Amino acid sequence: MDFKELKQFLCEHDNYIILTHKSPDGDTLGSAFALCSALRDMGKRCDVINNENLPVRYNFLYDGYYLQEFTAETVVAVDIADEKLFGSRLAKYAGKVDLCIDHHISNTGYAKNTVLDPQASAAALVLFEFFKDQGIPLNDFRAMCLYTGIATDTGCFKFDNTIPRAHLAAAELMKYNIDFSKINRRMFDIKSKERLKIEAMMSEQMEYYFDDRCSVMTLTSEIMSHSGVEPAEFDGLASIPLSVEGVDIGITIKQRHENVFKLSVRTTDAIDASAFCKKFGGGGHIRAAGCEIEGSLDEVKRAVLEQVQNVLKQADENR
Amino acid sequence: MDFKELKQFLCEHDNYIILTHKSPDGDTLGSAFALCSALRDMGKRCDVINNENLPVRYNFLYDGYYLQEFTAETVVAVDIADEKLFGSRLAKYAGKVDLCIDHHISNTGYAKNTVLDPQASAAALVLFEFFKDQGIPLNDFRAMCLYTGIATDTGCFKFDNTIPRAHLAAAELMKYNIDFSKINRRMFDIKSKERLKIEAMMSEQMEYYFDDRCSVMTLTSEIMSHSGVEPAEFDGLASIPLSVEGVDIGITIKQRHENVFKLSVRTTDAIDASAFCKKFGGGGHIRAAGCEIEGSLDEVKRAVLEQVQNVLKQADENR
């Protein structure tokens, strides 16, 4: 579906519900609330439906939001590549999505109609360009939503998925009254007291191998339960090991059960993380991948470090 | 001086040396090497002169650089607001700068000719717009230099000095062959092993006051000498205390001498950091300021926390 057809679709339908993906981030939420606001301004009835309670850090996106009461007729998914990402509460919408607006090249095509731009840095960038192309007006709120989506998915224009169009969009969105530096601070800088404590704890126990080219962070069940901190606070630590100067492969080992450990592997361009994890039956992206390994912690570490030695040797030979 | 006059100036002069400011950052270095490269391509002789050894983290800016041999005739300063920022090695150029290209509103006007755009997010943004306006060609290297300058000074487009023109410049610069995500990773994510250790140590000993609205990090001479880490690694920690959720005023207390402590104060928009530090004879910006206080650590803390209590009370009343 192109932008013109999308506009026509939106005009011809009504009573929308917009789905966001589970563990919602700034892109799925920003896109959903921007589209909802635009549809309501077009005289349509529209609600945003989420799988779980919305994260407090994004409350600026939904603070003024209110539910409308109507019978849903048109189901829209934003930033959702696969029905598996609906989560349990939204599972009932599988097979019933009328329109999907997305930017993931891995989109499974589950919706009856799809607007997909796999080059776009964010779903919010697709929406921004659609609004602009089809003359759907922006306002401060919608600009803030779309900026948040683009900033989230590009790591504030830092990651290599940042394309010139993302910067051009930001330049236009910033002309609206958005406190973007406050938004960025909330999204990228602020941590809970507990999170800061955990990061400190994990950084202090980091182990280094092979002339500090490999760093390993280990999260045992014991560490997690003794910390007195919510398990969710232990998510997303996997980028820490690779943040150390000189490290080419940063590994996070997280205990799942007695003898089961989950590996998160992050690498520089010297090493293929996906190939590394495939050796252990896992997979992922070239710079970020994962796998699960059974055995005692000692056994797991030994196997992993042996494989690290192999790939570092290979990397040296390829230089 | 406007861009046309600047172009004329550059054409009419030769045998340039370009000065960067002490403790050089990505903006002063990026601007200097971009301008040097452009001048050399115009057939001029040009060197970049620095007060100290260049930081390794910026080696991509000077890796292919070589000194030319000539007698300096024209002295240019980039991103230097004040002759005080020359540093001891460049002090001899005070009063001898022919041209200054800058973006600091505080520029003292020390140069014979000044190209100043106080709205610009970075000196590199001024240079980019000058190159574009006057048809001075970019190439991969100069684009990388200018991108680095703009990204540095905006905290990768995160800070509130990021203007739409900074994004427009980035969009154009990214069309050149720049590995911007690698540059950003080096500038914003990578830390030395020692730095990670120190940050962890400081985070673990952070103290919280007044319902966690104030956080205090204390760096005594003892901590610093016992850590076995270079003193320079203890610079720039001042943003950590304010990175905690709910904190409105984050304070770093760093010991200077036996009974002298330096305060770095960072605040949210609830509190004026500059006014806070003025109470102790210091000053600075509204969100980042500093001062020096004499007394024992206990005395200093007591005085500081008393003042914190006052400003928090005031902040509550203003709500």
Side-chain angles (χ1 to χ4, degrees):
Chain A
M1 218 183 214
D2 64 22
F3 284 164
K4 206 179 149 194
E5 291 163 329
L6 174 56
K7 170 90 177 280
Q8 201 177 339
F9 179 99
L10 294 179
C11 289
E12 285 171 357
H13 291 73
D14 200 353
N15 297 317
Y16 288 93
I17 55 170
I18 305 178
L19 313 182
T20 62
H21 64 68
K22 68 179 179 183
S23 305
D25 60 13
D27 192 24
T28 197
L29 293 176
S31 299
F33 286 110
L35 180 58
C36 180
S37 159
L39 285 169
R40 287 181 179 183
D41 275 4
M42 286 164 69
K44 307 289 183 181
R45 284 188 291 188
C46 180
D47 277 340
V48 175
I49 312 284
N50 309 288
N51 182 61
E52 55 231 280
N53 288 338
L54 294 182
V56 176
R57 69 160 61 208
Y58 292 118
N59 67 7
F60 56 94
L61 294 177
Y62 59 82
D63 252 1
Y65 177 77
Y66 54 92
L67 273 178
Q68 294 182 327
E69 302 257 338
F70 58 88
T71 307
E73 276 173 11
T74 317
V75 181
V76 183
V78 286
D79 192 40
I80 311 183
D82 191 314
E83 291 181 328
K84 283 181 197 153
L85 301 170
F86 284 0
S88 54
R89 232 187 96 195
L90 304 190
K92 61 182 171 195
Y93 296 109
K96 291 179 185 159
V97 176
D98 301 293
L99 170 68
C100 173
I101 301 172
D102 193 19
H103 71 117
H104 293 96
I105 195 163
S106 56
N107 190 292
T108 62
Y110 60 86
K112 281 171 210 123
N113 300 282
T114 304
V115 177
L116 178 70
D117 180 352
Q119 254 85 55
S121 314
L125 180 56
V126 182
L127 263 185
F128 166 78
E129 292 179 343
F130 162 63
F131 284 179
K132 200 183 159 182
D133 188 65
Q134 293 297 311
I136 295 171
L138 283 173
N139 58 22
D140 290 348
F141 174 74
R142 294 200 277 273
M144 179 184 71
C145 289
L146 296 176
Y147 179 92
T148 302
I150 296 169
T152 300
D153 268 22
T154 58
C156 209
F157 311 95
K158 200 164 69 177
F159 302 153
D160 62 5
N161 68 346
T162 311
I163 55 173
R165 283 157 49 200
H167 280 292
L168 293 177
E172 288 201 43
L173 293 167
M174 280 172 62
K175 290 174 187 162
Y176 291 84
N177 186 22
I178 314 177
D179 196 346
F180 64 92
S181 68
K182 198 172 180 177
I183 292 173
N184 289 330
R185 204 176 101 80
R186 282 184 74 146
M187 291 201 295
F188 301 109
D189 294 343
I190 298 295
K191 295 167 184 173
S192 72
K193 206 169 142 180
E194 290 72 29
R195 176 65 178 214
L196 194 74
K197 191 179 140 193
I198 286 169
E199 289 191 4
M201 209 169 75
M202 300 313 298
S203 301
E204 288 208 301
Q205 60 99 295
M206 188 105 72
E207 291 168 4
Y208 298 90
Y209 299 93
F210 309 116
D211 295 328
D212 298 352
R213 291 174 65 195
C214 169
S215 54
V216 178
M217 201 168 78
T218 310
L219 259 171
T220 60
S221 305
E222 206 192 331
I223 292 177
M224 288 187 273
S225 64
H226 273 63
S227 69
V229 170
E230 289 282 304
E233 294 279 358
F234 287 95
D235 290 346
L237 293 167
S239 64
I240 297 177
L242 193 67
S243 73
V244 180
E245 206 166 10
V247 168
D248 278 322
I249 177 164
I251 299 174
T252 306
I253 304 179
K254 196 170 171 183
Q255 190 161 24
R256 285 276 202 218
H257 310 288
E258 174 73 29
N259 274 321
V260 182
F261 293 86
K262 191 188 175 293
L263 247 69
S264 297
V265 177
R266 301 287 182 274
T267 57
T268 64
D269 53 12
I271 290 169
D272 182 341
S274 170
F276 183 93
C277 288
K278 252 182 211 153
K279 289 272 179 193
F280 299 101
H285 302 283
I286 188 161
R287 303 273 164 267
C291 57
E292 229 171 62
I293 312 184
E294 293 189 21
S296 71
L297 181 56
D298 276 353
E299 287 165 353
V300 168
K301 267 198 191 168
R302 209 174 311 125
V304 167
L305 289 174
E306 203 182 295
Q307 185 57 18
V308 169
Q309 191 165 30
N310 292 339
V311 297
L312 285 176
K313 212 176 135 191
Q314 232 176 301
D316 286 341
E317 283 165 5
N318 293 339
R319 233 165 235 182
Chain B
M1 218 185 218
D2 64 22
F3 284 164
K4 207 179 147 194
E5 292 164 329
L6 174 55
K7 170 90 177 281
Q8 201 177 339
F9 179 99
L10 295 179
C11 289
E12 285 171 355
H13 291 73
D14 200 353
N15 297 316
Y16 288 92
I17 55 169
I18 305 178
L19 314 181
T20 62
H21 63 67
K22 66 179 179 182
S23 305
D25 61 12
D27 192 25
T28 198
L29 293 176
S31 299
F33 287 109
L35 181 58
C36 180
S37 159
L39 285 168
R40 287 181 178 182
D41 276 4
M42 286 163 69
K44 307 290 184 180
R45 284 189 290 190
C46 181
D47 277 340
V48 174
I49 312 284
N50 309 287
N51 182 61
E52 54 231 278
N53 287 340
L54 294 181
V56 177
R57 69 160 60 209
Y58 293 116
N59 67 6
F60 56 96
L61 294 177
Y62 59 82
D63 252 0
Y65 177 78
Y66 55 94
L67 273 178
Q68 294 182 326
E69 302 257 338
F70 57 89
T71 308
E73 277 174 10
T74 317
V75 182
V76 183
V78 286
D79 193 39
I80 310 182
D82 190 315
E83 291 181 328
K84 283 181 198 155
L85 301 170
F86 284 1
S88 54
R89 231 187 97 196
L90 304 190
K92 61 182 170 195
Y93 296 109
K96 292 181 186 158
V97 176
D98 300 293
L99 170 68
C100 173
I101 301 172
D102 192 20
H103 70 117
H104 295 95
I105 195 162
S106 56
N107 190 293
T108 62
Y110 60 87
K112 281 173 209 118
N113 300 283
T114 304
V115 177
L116 178 70
D117 179 352
Q119 255 85 56
S121 314
L125 179 57
V126 182
L127 263 186
F128 166 78
E129 293 179 342
F130 162 63
F131 285 178
K132 200 183 157 180
D133 187 66
Q134 293 296 311
I136 295 170
L138 283 173
N139 58 20
D140 289 347
F141 175 74
R142 294 200 278 272
M144 180 184 72
C145 289
L146 297 176
Y147 179 92
T148 302
I150 296 170
T152 300
D153 268 22
T154 57
C156 208
F157 310 96
K158 199 162 71 176
F159 301 154
D160 61 7
N161 67 346
T162 312
I163 56 173
R165 283 157 49 198
H167 279 291
L168 293 177
E172 288 201 45
L173 293 167
M174 280 171 63
K175 290 174 187 163
Y176 291 84
N177 186 22
I178 314 178
D179 197 346
F180 64 91
S181 67
K182 198 171 180 178
I183 292 174
N184 288 331
R185 204 175 102 79
R186 281 183 76 143
M187 290 200 296
F188 301 109
D189 294 344
I190 297 294
K191 296 166 184 174
S192 72
K193 209 168 139 180
E194 290 72 29
R195 176 65 180 215
L196 195 73
K197 191 179 139 193
I198 286 169
E199 290 191 3
M201 209 170 76
M202 300 315 298
S203 301
E204 288 208 300
Q205 60 100 295
M206 188 107 70
E207 292 168 4
Y208 298 90
Y209 298 94
F210 309 116
D211 295 327
D212 298 351
R213 292 173 64 195
C214 170
S215 54
V216 178
M217 202 168 78
T218 310
L219 259 171
T220 61
S221 306
E222 206 193 331
I223 292 177
M224 289 186 275
S225 65
H226 273 63
S227 69
V229 170
E230 288 283 302
E233 293 280 356
F234 287 96
D235 290 345
L237 293 166
S239 63
I240 298 177
L242 194 66
S243 73
V244 180
E245 206 166 10
V247 169
D248 279 322
I249 177 163
I251 299 173
T252 306
I253 303 178
K254 196 170 172 182
Q255 190 162 23
R256 285 277 204 216
H257 310 287
E258 173 74 29
N259 274 320
V260 183
F261 294 87
K262 190 190 175 294
L263 246 69
S264 297
V265 177
R266 301 287 182 273
T267 57
T268 65
D269 52 13
I271 290 168
D272 182 341
S274 169
F276 183 93
C277 289
K278 252 181 212 153
K279 289 272 179 191
F280 299 101
H285 302 283
I286 188 161
R287 304 271 163 269
C291 56
E292 228 172 63
I293 313 184
E294 294 189 21
S296 70
L297 180 56
D298 277 353
E299 286 165 353
V300 168
K301 267 198 192 169
R302 208 173 312 126
V304 167
L305 289 174
E306 202 181 294
Q307 184 59 17
V308 169
Q309 190 165 29
N310 292 340
V311 295
L312 285 176
K313 211 175 137 192
Q314 231 175 301
D316 286 340
E317 284 165 4
N318 293 341
R319 235 165 231 180

